[in-house]
Amino acid sequence: MSEPDDVIAKLFDQTRLVGRFRRRSAVDVIVTWDDVRAVEPLARAVVELRDDHVQRKALDRLGQLTEQTAVDVVCEVWADTRHPLLDALIREKGWLAAYQENVRILGLLARGEAESLMGVNRDGAAFLVAAASDRDPHLAEAAARVLTQLQRADAVDALVEMALEHDDLRALQAIRDGGYSVADPSVSAVLLILTQQLTAYEAHDPTGAHLADALQSAPLPRRHQLALKAREHRLAPWAYALRRLPPGEILPVEWDCLLTVLLSHGSYEDIWRWSVRASVPVALGYVRALVAADWSPALNAPDARLFRKLAGLQERCEGEPDASGERIIASNIFEGSPGHATLLAVSSNWHFMAVGGDHEAVRVFSLPDGEPVASLDGLPGWTRAVAFGGMGRLLAIATMNNRTRVHRIPDGEIVASLETPDVSVIAMRGDGRLLAASCGARIDLWDVERERIVHAIGNQGRTVKRIEMGPRGRALAAWGSDGVTRVWSLPDGALLTAFDGAEGGLAALAFNADETQLAISDRGGILRVYSLPSCELLCEVSTETKAIRSLAFRPDGDVIAVGGHDHFVRLVALPEGELLGQVDGYAGASVLQWNSLGQLLTGAVEGNRTARIWFPALPPLTALAVQHARADEIAWAQRRHQDPQLPRQDRTWLTAWGTLVMALRGALPRKEEPVQSETGTSF
């Protein structure tokens, strides 16, 4: 230990009897130092030590400071501690930090000079949002007041970004109280609803056209939030906006809220029109609501007979349609050669799939048809990891030469090039602005647009083996060679929680849709689901899957898919842990991912190197609108309906489904017509 370090250690010596003597001797030495290294220990001594002599000596020396660098150190310690002695010193000297913007902002707020902050930039606005929740109520109030008077457009943009991407309530309140407007009409529609400026929203978007544009690209949690707001306030334009979406893309919560909104406005004709666009369970629920409201089409209306038939069927349809394993069929969408399919990534919107491997190219395909979209050739090395971001608009590729490039899709233009030494795994946030790269014993968080590291997260000196970014981009989980699973918040990189890893080594990680649960699996096939951030064990399941490689929560969080080396992907109900069924796969399912409709994709990196989609043989019964039913599904349903062993409940559901299909299409195809499935074999 160097002499200065030894003196500083004595300054904080808490040993009984001799400690007091050492502290006072040390402070007498430190106050003679004439450089900035004395400032931090003296400021800490004022805060941490209960020794009047030491505090007085330290304050006297700090009061003699003239260099701005030293003043900034004192201000920084004050910002962290708010100690009254430092506060009094700073006020007496009129000091203000110059080099750290967040500390300078706190200082101006504390001095009562909030008006000078109205011209802050976007970073300053973010600091003010944080200060609006400060533990000092006067300072928090001043920050909130400034947020309503921002003068720069980029500062307002920062508020909008925090409100939309991070659901920050303080930012939302500032947008509302400041009366800020946004140029993009679709963004403005969302903000007006979230800030409960409902009269202004209905005037801004009476037909729901702007909101419809926003819904098409909005993340699932945002759509869920808007649906609840629409139901609470009975927003008719929101219902109009849903008309512009394909019925198969409407979320379950949106169907529920839509019925409430339409009923509140007495829009029974609209409820009936929606009924024949929805999936069977939703359609029958809508018909049930119309029956309860004592409404039906006019007797001479062309659809009156259909309504009466569905009204009779809805009473006999109990529970949910069966979704057992026997109703799952598969479709191959990619087949590669050895070395050409060792890595696979799927965009969160399910538009694209990227395939890389032991060669200097990555190929991008469209989903679900598997058509080629782009070939990114001439990479600087073999591919080590691939990850999508920006709702499929960006693709990050980590290569063996310690570089990670971010390409725009589909044109393949390089938009960022990052230096990532020893990179093994990468993950990209949904908006494409943040990229996590595991580099040996640490994880670097990159600002993609600025091509710089914003945080370097240590992993206790152990090699990072796996990382997983949450669907909302607010959390990052990692498992390292020390056997501990850690979870950090994003984008600040603060550690949220840590808990011991699975026995025998962790195999896979997965967040649920809202990042409130984390699933981990070990090499022995044990699946555990924990709540976050409490780390409470919610369930533990023996999946019978050896060497698990991948996990994926279904969007509703009720089912998790487990894939590994034993040629099966198993579907497990949560939290009971019941095995719902399994689909016949192949060894090496390295990627499992659900789309919003509950269809499951898996990618294999070994054996025949293929990617495959599994989906229910009758998706219209559970997720899709009836007009999306394919000829092979219709023929399958006809054969199932004639099966004498078919349970009565299943027959009732199939009857309801067939009734809706006939209503839309006029007739079903004849049974004798040969029908080919997507896998190329007849049913």
Side-chain angles (χ1 to χ4, degrees), residues 24-196:
R24 296 189 173 187
S25 298
V27 76
D28 288 341
V29 173
I30 295 175
V31 296
T32 64
W33 294 349
D34 57 0
D35 54 31
V36 76
R37 64 180 175 174
V39 179
E40 194 269 341
L42 290 175
R44 281 178 47 215
V46 171
V47 173
E48 299 176 17
L49 299 180
R50 295 184 178 180
D51 187 317
D52 293 341
H53 177 81
V54 172
Q55 286 183 325
R56 186 171 60 255
K57 284 266 189 176
L59 287 171
D60 287 345
R61 177 65 180 90
L62 293 175
Q64 300 170 18
L65 298 176
T66 56
E67 293 185 18
Q68 183 62 50
T69 329
V71 168
D72 269 52
V73 174
V74 179
C75 292
E76 183 179 356
V77 175
W78 164 81
D80 290 338
T81 65
R82 310 297 173 83
H83 195 278
L85 292 178
L86 291 183
D87 184 68
L89 175 65
I90 291 172
R91 289 178 182 274
E92 177 189 346
K93 296 294 183 179
W95 286 342
L96 187 66
Y99 302 115
Q100 293 197 48
E101 183 69 4
N102 58 333
V103 179
R104 189 181 74 87
I105 287 175
L106 288 176
L108 287 170
L109 293 173
R111 287 166 54 163
E113 299 179 17
E115 294 76 10
S116 63
L117 294 171
M118 290 188 290
V120 295
N121 59 14
R122 60 180 296 113
D123 291 336
F127 292 140
L128 282 169
V129 170
S133 296
D134 195 84
R135 57 183 179 268
D136 182 337
H138 300 292
L139 192 149
E141 182 182 352
R145 188 168 59 253
V146 175
L147 286 172
T148 65
Q149 304 173 59
L150 297 177
Q151 297 173 344
R152 291 179 49 148
D154 61 338
V156 176
D157 290 343
L159 287 184
V160 172
E161 181 179 316
M162 295 178 74
L164 293 181
E165 296 185 11
H166 306 294
D167 294 329
D168 196 300
L169 297 179
R170 299 162 301 184
L172 278 171
Q173 183 177 351
I175 292 171
R176 181 192 62 202
D177 295 345
Y180 298 123
S181 59
V182 181
D184 188 326
S186 61
V187 174
S188 179
V190 172
L191 286 174
L192 288 172
I193 294 176
L194 295 180
T195 56
Q196 301 194 54

Side-chain angles (χ1 to χ4, degrees), residues 165-167 219 221 428-430 468-477 487-491 496-497 510-519 529-535 538 553-555 557:
E165 296 185 11
H166 306 294
D167 294 329
M428 205 172 190
R429 201 168 66 180
E468 181 76 15
M469 192 174 290
R472 302 179 73 180
R474 294 182 173 183
L476 179 74
V487 182
W488 296 272
S489 65
L490 295 178
L496 292 178
T497 189
F511 285 97
N512 68 342
D514 61 4
E515 299 176 9
T516 59
Q517 296 177 15
L518 179 69
V529 180
Y530 297 88
S531 65
L532 293 177
S534 66
C535 290
L538 300 178
F553 280 92
R554 202 168 67 182

Side-chain angles (χ1 to χ4, degrees), residues 604-625:
V605 300
E606 296 174 3
N608 60 1
R609 303 182 187 277
T610 65
R612 180 176 294 183
I613 292 178
W614 279 288
F615 50 91
L618 274 180
L621 286 180
T622 53
L624 298 178

Side-chain angles (χ1 to χ4, degrees), residues 215-472:
L215 291 177
Q216 289 174 357
S217 59
L220 297 184
R222 173 60 33 70
R223 289 179 58 173
H224 188 283
Q225 188 179 16
L226 290 170
L228 296 180
K229 290 283 187 184
R231 179 171 64 185
E232 178 185 358
H233 301 289
R234 310 298 194 260
L235 293 178
W238 172 82
Y240 305 151
L242 288 186
R243 290 178 183 173
R244 301 170 183 262
L245 299 180
E249 294 182 7
I250 297 178
L251 306 179
V253 68
E254 290 173 329
W255 283 114
D256 291 342
C257 295
L258 177 62
L259 179 58
T260 302
V261 172
L262 294 177
L263 284 172
S264 70
H265 290 280
S267 304
Y268 301 120
E269 290 281 356
D270 286 339
I271 293 174
W272 174 232
R273 283 194 290 269
W274 274 106
S275 298
V276 294
R277 299 182 67 200
S279 63
V280 177
V282 172
L284 294 182
Y286 276 40
V287 169
R288 187 178 300 117
L290 291 174
V291 171
D294 197 25
W295 181 92
S296 63
L299 289 177
N300 59 348
D303 53 358
R305 185 168 175 269
L306 170 63
F307 179 84
R308 290 195 297 271
K309 187 172 183 64
L310 290 175
L313 285 170
Q314 57 92 16
E315 297 178 356
R316 307 203 307 269
C317 290
E318 303 172 358
E320 290 291 321
D322 178 45
S324 62
E326 67 173 313
R327 294 193 178 184
I328 297 176
I329 59 179
S331 172
N332 288 344
I333 58 172
F334 172 83
E335 292 195 23
S337 56
H340 285 203
T342 58
L343 297 166
L344 185 145
V346 181
S347 63
S348 60
N349 59 4
W350 254 56
H351 287 174
F352 301 114
M353 176 185 70
V355 178
D358 298 340
H359 58 131
E360 297 175 355
V362 168
R363 289 168 175 79
V364 182
F365 302 86
S366 66
L367 291 176
D369 52 28
E371 291 296 318
V373 171
S375 182
L376 307 177
D377 301 309
L379 299 176
W382 287 358
T383 311
R384 301 198 69 173
V386 289
F388 275 103
M391 295 298 291
R393 296 187 299 272
L394 299 175
L395 176 65
I397 304 173
T399 57
M400 296 285 287
N401 76 329
N402 299 329
R403 302 294 301 180
T404 295
R405 289 179 175 177
V406 180
H407 297 257
R408 190 171 59 203
I409 302 300
D411 59 27
E413 180 180 344
I414 299 173
V415 297
S417 182
L418 318 175
E419 184 177 351
T420 51
D422 300 322
V423 63
S424 57
V425 189
I426 60 174
M428 205 172 190
R429 201 168 66 180
D431 59 8
R433 296 183 178 181
L434 190 70
L435 181 137
S438 68
C439 301
R442 74 176 193 276
I443 300 172
D444 291 336
L445 297 180
W446 287 84
D447 182 323
V448 174
E449 183 178 350
R450 300 179 182 180
E451 299 186 1
R452 63 182 180 87
I453 296 174
V454 292
H455 292 288
I457 302 174
N459 198 50
Q460 305 295 326
R462 304 288 185 161
T463 302
V464 178
K465 297 291 187 181
R466 288 182 179 270
I467 61 174
E468 181 76 15
M469 192 174 290
R472 302 179 73 180

